[in-house]
């Protein structure tokens, strides 16, 4: 079939086929495979101190005097809370009665929940050949 315009949408009533005979649209042999956005995505959850970045166990909400093993700063602070947001009103996503002035200092907030984030494995690409080793582990010998 020859037609002047081969753009999609032109004379759709004749069928929506490509040159190679496949039909366009969703589905097909590769529809159940991942698209690549999750490759290398960190999967381990961890709590990190907002002051020094050291991983540790998250403090319980009732542990108001917990301190970081690395820097000694308190962990029950607004900067270590999952509700802390610098763009929100009073820098908290939850409605609070009164503003907390010192966000990096220990406080008595009852809405505190430790901020848990996804973490990469340590030492995945160590040394000058680490990137090459990671490539070989992913693709093998091509």
């Amino acid at each position: 079939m020859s037609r002047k315009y081969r753009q999609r949408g032109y004379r759709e009533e004749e069928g929506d086929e490509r040159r190679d005979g496949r039909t366009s649209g969703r589905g097909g042999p590769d529809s159940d495979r991942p698209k690549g956005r999750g490759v290398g995505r960190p999967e381990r959850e961890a709590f990190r101190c907002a002051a020094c970045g050291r991983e540790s166990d998250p403090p319980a909400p009732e542990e108001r005097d917990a301190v970081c093993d690395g820097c000694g700063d308190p962990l029950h602070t607004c900067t270590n809370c999952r509700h802390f947001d610098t763009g929100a009103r009073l820098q908290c996503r939850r409605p609070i009665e009164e503003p907390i002035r010192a966000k990096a200092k220990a406080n008595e907030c009852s809405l505190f929940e430790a901020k848990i984030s996804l973490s990469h494995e340590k030492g995945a690409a160590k040394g000058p050949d680490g990137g090459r080793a990671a490539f070989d582990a992913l693709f093998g010998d091509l």
Side-chain angles (χ1 to χ4, degrees):
M1 166 176 152
S2 78
R3 57 183 174 192
K4 185 175 180 180
Y5 302 107
R6 291 197 166 106
Q7 292 89 356
R8 284 189 61 170
Y10 180 72
R11 297 184 65 165
E12 289 181 1
E13 67 272 359
E14 294 180 7
D16 194 12
E17 293 188 8
R18 296 181 183 171
R19 283 187 172 175
D20 57 1
R22 295 184 299 158
T23 59
S24 64
R26 295 186 181 188
D30 295 336
S31 64
D32 60 334
R33 294 185 185 166
K35 304 296 185 232
R37 290 186 170 222
V39 176
R41 183 174 183 263
E43 297 178 359
R44 188 171 53 88
E45 292 183 348
F47 170 77
R48 292 187 176 273
C49 173
C52 67
R54 182 179 177 149
E55 282 188 23
S56 65
D57 293 330
E62 60 272 358
E63 286 185 64
R64 300 187 192 276
D65 57 346
V67 294
C68 177
D69 296 333
C71 62
D73 282 356
L75 294 178
H76 195 283
T77 64
C78 289
T79 54
N80 285 322
C81 181
R82 69 179 290 217
H83 305 299
F84 178 68
D85 184 7
T86 56
R89 181 179 178 270
L90 301 178
Q91 296 184 341
C92 187
R93 291 187 205 125
R94 298 288 180 158
I96 54 177
E97 296 84 30
E98 59 185 57
I100 298 172
R101 301 285 178 216
K103 304 291 184 185
K105 296 195 178 193
N107 58 47
E108 300 293 320
C109 182
S110 61
L111 301 172
F112 176 81
E113 291 180 35
K115 181 178 13 179
I116 305 294
S117 60
L118 295 175
S119 177
H120 291 283
E121 293 297 323
K122 290 183 179 178
K126 277 189 174 176
D129 296 326
R132 178 50 122 182
F135 179 83
D136 290 339
L138 184 62
F139 294 108
D141 297 326
L142 294 177

